[in-house]
Amino acid sequence: GDFVTTEDGTGIVHTAVIYGEEDYNLGIKLDLPMVPMLDEKGHFNETAPEFIRGQYFKKAEKEIKNDLEKRGLLFSRDQYTHSYPHCWRCETQLFYNAISAWFIDIQKIKGRLIELNENINWYPEHLKHGRFLNILETAPDWNISRNRYWATPLPFWKCENKECGETLCVGSVAELKEKATNFDEVFSTDKVADLDLHKQFADKIKIKCAKCSSVMNRIPEVIDCWVESGSMPFAEFHYPFENKEKFEKSFPGQYIAEYIAQTRAWFYYMHVVSTLLFDHNSFENCVTTGTILNDKGEKLSKSKQNYPDPWKIIEQYGVDALRYYLMTSVVMEAENLFFNEREVREIYNKVINILWNVVTFYLMYSSDYDHKTKAQDSVHILDKWILAKLQVLVKEVTTEMDNYNTVKAGRPIKDFIDDLSTWYLRRSRDRFKGPSSAKASAGRDDEQDKQSAIATLGEVLFTLSKLMAPFTPFIAEKIYQEVKGLGEKAQGSVHLEEWPQVNEKLMSDEVIKMMEMARKVVEMGLALRAEQGLKVRQPLN
């Protein structure tokens, strides 16, 4: 076979047609004998030599080597370490075994699967014509049967008359009741919600063969759970038996989200089932996340406990900091994220803490607000600038959220909070204090400026709470409840609000550029002070 090389191992391999996909394909090609020697539990059956019958296949290896050696047939005997498949849950050794199974013929619909993929918006975009398209193009037929006990029984009944061999697929409980000869003996009700349709009951049901009148028995296999997962979009409504309008209104789903491995699993199987039944894609938008690893690059494992305790992180930094960190990280771009507690702390300090300090400052003066002054009427350059920056933020976050890109949507929020706190609020502190006794003559102008500052900061926080709601739902709600009394038509919760719209009248590239220049001048001045060792509070000549 082309899978044998002289670079790996000895260059000589044995082939066992029943026990491996490559071996099987080669066996079919060369018409080699197929001799099943293991039962379903991995023990040698009656076909095997007597001295290993009934033994577990791994345990029998030593006996086989001893027998070969005894008979002078062993050239050399060495221990060789190599990788071997194990069950990821219980670590039991696994073996490949060719068994008869039930399949869905994927090749018949492969072209249509590829066509319907064009209707889906994938994020990240490269998955559409990359990984997912490759999965569709190379998809084998789908084995939908499993040789287990606890799962949904496959609804196939087969005639016990071998000359007939008729097969029947039962499509509902009602059809099963109609066709079964002993339904009432097995089940006390025909109400779907009250029925236990597992093997121990379904296997007792007999059906009269319509072709030869013999008895039809259910096949022993159960269904692959991915058939059920792939059926989720309609099965959750118990369609087609009820909720027809509800299902049709919600299909296809607007978006789904899962991690990258589901491209080969849930995403794929939903696409297949939907194509088979409805000739339509199952979902319109798909957000695919990566895998979270620990700082050593290991996959997080409950058994190994190789990750920081999430509850301690939540207690220390809150769920908002953790959520914002994840939603703006590369894990949302289907990349691996090396989880770093230090970065969560940074988000807590630079987003949550700084923002709450701004809110606390606002609340010190909010009771002085006259509820008449409007932010958009302010003539102060700082108010105009922060409102212009806010419109840029609304536009950016909206555009990227519409594209399902939480990374590009969320990261500008952190920069805006920094601008709000370290530039707008620091430069505006005196404005909030209003007229001072030393400036009593200024009177009305100082008071008006104070009202404009309060109105502007309140407006900014109110809008910001709506923008942040999907990223940091708890602090967004807290801020919303604190500032909603601005005379706005507020809802009971930020999560019931309409998404903010860009106010084009407040957009001003000129104001933003002027402020950038002013900040650059200040930055240069501070740099010169640092060079000369002059403290910031020391006045200059």
Side-chain angles (χ1 to χ4, degrees):
D2 57 11
F3 52 89
V4 183
T5 69
T6 51
E7 285 78 40
D8 301 308
T10 61
I12 303 167
V13 296
H14 81 292
T15 185
V17 183
I18 297 290
Y19 303 106
E21 190 175 356
E22 288 171 326
D23 297 62
Y24 183 79
N25 291 333
L26 181 67
I28 294 288
K29 187 177 172 184
L30 302 178
D31 196 26
L32 298 176
M34 295 186 190
V35 187
M37 296 184 81
L38 299 178
D39 64 19
E40 70 274 11
K41 291 179 183 175
H43 293 84
F44 280 101
N45 60 27
E46 293 302 309
T47 315
E50 196 174 338
F51 74 96
I52 53 170
R53 276 179 205 164
Q55 283 195 42
Y56 184 57
F57 76 105
K58 293 301 283 182
K59 193 179 175 186
E61 285 177 354
K62 197 173 179 180
E63 299 286 338
I64 294 167
K65 284 182 256 186
N66 290 342
D67 178 70
L68 291 170
E69 198 163 38
K70 221 182 280 177
R71 292 193 283 145
L73 297 172
L74 197 67
F75 170 70
S76 176
R77 184 171 181 168
D78 285 299
Q79 289 291 337
Y80 179 68
T81 303
H82 63 97
S83 59
Y84 191 86
H86 288 74
C87 171
W88 65 275
R89 281 185 185 273
C90 64
E91 298 186 355
T92 305
Q93 292 154 328
L94 304 173
F95 66 95
Y96 289 96
N97 192 9
I99 54 173
S100 62
W102 295 78
F103 288 84
I104 289 175
D105 188 348
I106 295 297
Q107 311 319 309
K108 280 185 180 177
I109 59 162
K110 190 172 276 189
R112 190 61 178 145
L113 290 172
I114 292 166
E115 283 173 21
L116 290 173
N117 182 39
E118 293 303 308
N119 299 341
I120 302 169
N121 170 44
W122 284 87
Y123 186 79
E125 194 181 359
H126 63 77
L127 293 172
K128 181 173 187 168
H129 295 127
R131 186 185 289 222
F132 194 67
L133 179 60
N134 180 255
I135 287 166
L136 297 179
E137 288 175 339
T138 58
D141 291 335
W142 181 6
N143 174 4
I144 61 165
S145 62
R146 295 290 180 271
N147 296 75
R148 297 176 187 149
Y149 189 84
W150 289 115
T152 303
L154 268 170
F156 300 148
W157 269 257
K158 204 167 184 177
C159 183
E160 65 182 17
N161 179 358
K162 289 180 182 177
E163 290 177 16
C164 175
E166 180 75 356
T167 305
L168 172 70
C169 177
V170 177
S172 67
V173 169
E175 187 183 346
L176 184 64
K177 186 177 183 181
E178 180 195 327
K179 294 187 172 170
T181 57
N182 61 339
F183 186 92
D184 293 332
E185 292 171 26
V186 177
F187 299 114
S188 57
T189 178
D190 59 0
K191 286 183 181 175
V192 177
D194 300 330
L195 275 179
D196 185 346
L197 289 166
H198 282 103
K199 261 180 80 74
Q200 73 270 34
F201 298 111
D203 286 358
K204 293 176 183 176
I205 292 288
K206 308 292 180 185
I207 294 175
K208 187 178 178 181
C209 178
K211 195 173 176 184
C212 74
S213 297
S214 295
V215 174
M216 299 185 94
N217 298 303
R218 199 193 72 81
I219 61 163
E221 291 87 358
V222 293
I223 204 162
D224 173 16
C225 67
W226 287 111
V227 176
E228 295 169 311
S229 300
S231 304
M232 180 279 297
F234 60 90
E236 68 166 331
F237 296 112
H238 198 218
Y239 174 92
F241 306 105
E242 39 183 337
N243 299 312
K244 189 171 184 290
E245 283 181 20
K246 199 172 182 181
F247 163 67
E248 287 171 357
K249 192 178 176 184
S250 71
F251 183 81
Q254 282 186 313
Y255 98 103
I256 56 170
E258 251 292 0
Y259 92 122
I260 189 77
Q262 298 294 0
T263 46
R264 191 174 286 281
W266 190 46
F267 299 157
Y268 169 74
Y269 291 119
M270 274 206 293
H271 193 58
V272 169
V273 172
S274 179
T275 302
L276 283 164
L277 297 181
F278 307 109
D279 192 33
H280 205 291
N281 45 295
S282 182
F283 44 90
E284 293 172 349
N285 299 279
C286 182
V287 175
T288 313
T289 57
T291 307
I292 300 176
L293 310 172
N294 66 13
D295 53 4
K296 294 175 187 170
E298 301 167 331
K299 199 171 179 181
L300 308 187
S301 164
K302 278 187 282 189
S303 59
K304 292 177 184 172
Q305 291 287 304
N306 60 349
Y307 52 85
D309 185 338
W311 287 112
K312 285 182 181 174
I313 288 173
I314 288 168
E315 282 167 21
Q316 204 166 352
Y317 308 115
V319 287
D320 280 339
L322 179 60
R323 182 179 170 92
Y324 182 89
Y325 166 64
L326 293 173
M327 286 185 75
T328 57
S329 74
V330 294
V331 80
M332 295 302 296
E333 294 175 327
E335 301 288 337
N336 288 344
L337 170 68
F338 293 83
F339 187 87
N340 192 322
E341 188 178 338
R342 189 182 69 252
E343 290 173 358
V344 181
R345 188 190 316 130
E346 190 180 312
I347 295 297
Y348 173 68
N349 291 330
K350 293 190 176 178
V351 177
I352 309 300
N353 254 356
I354 288 179
L355 179 58
W356 190 246
N357 288 340
V358 174
V359 176
T360 305
F361 180 87
Y362 168 78
L363 293 175
M364 285 167 58
Y365 299 98
S366 61
S367 59
D368 297 340
Y369 181 47
D370 64 12
H371 292 274
K372 294 175 189 169
T373 306
K374 301 295 179 192
Q376 56 264 38
D377 297 332
S378 176
V379 294
H380 200 289
I381 187 67
L382 279 165
D383 295 341
K384 287 184 172 183
W385 171 73
I386 198 66
L387 289 171
K389 290 285 281 184
L390 182 64
Q391 305 319 305
V392 172
L393 182 68
V394 171
K395 190 173 185 179
E396 202 169 355
V397 176
T398 304
T399 300
E400 298 304 337
M401 287 295 267
D402 283 346
N403 291 332
Y404 293 84
N405 188 336
T406 65
V407 180
K408 282 190 175 178
R411 286 181 181 177
I413 292 172
K414 179 171 174 279
D415 298 332
F416 180 84
I417 290 169
D418 184 59
D419 284 341
L420 179 66
S421 171
T422 58
W423 190 252
Y424 175 79
L425 199 57
R426 280 188 192 175
R427 302 285 74 76
S428 297
R429 277 180 181 276
D430 289 342
R431 298 171 59 213
F432 282 85
K433 294 170 186 174
S436 63
S437 56
K439 288 185 178 180
S441 58
R444 175 66 189 154
D445 289 340
D446 270 10
E447 180 57 37
Q448 185 58 50
D449 194 32
K450 173 180 178 174
Q451 292 299 327
S452 293
I454 296 171
T456 300
L457 185 53
E459 176 66 31
V460 169
L461 290 172
F462 187 69
T463 304
L464 191 57
S465 71
K466 291 188 265 188
L467 288 176
M468 291 181 70
F471 300 91
T472 54
F474 293 96
I475 194 170
E477 178 70 6
K478 179 69 176 168
I479 293 168
Y480 181 82
Q481 295 301 335
E482 295 287 1
V483 303
K484 70 178 182 180
L486 289 169
E488 297 280 345
K489 203 174 177 184
Q491 302 295 323
S493 164
V494 69
H495 305 294
L496 299 174
E497 270 286 354
E498 292 289 323
W499 186 255
Q501 303 295 312
V502 175
N503 186 339
E504 296 290 345
K505 290 177 185 173
L506 300 176
M507 291 279 268
S508 176
D509 290 341
E510 187 187 350
V511 169
I512 290 172
K513 280 177 186 171
M514 283 169 63
M515 194 62 80
E516 274 176 14
M517 195 185 295
R519 294 182 78 178
K520 185 68 181 171
V521 170
V522 172
E523 193 183 306
M524 290 163 73
L526 290 171
L528 286 169
R529 274 181 178 269
E531 270 179 40
Q532 301 300 320
L534 295 168
K535 292 177 182 176
V536 175
R537 294 190 178 212
Q538 181 181 335
L540 301 176
N541 291 333

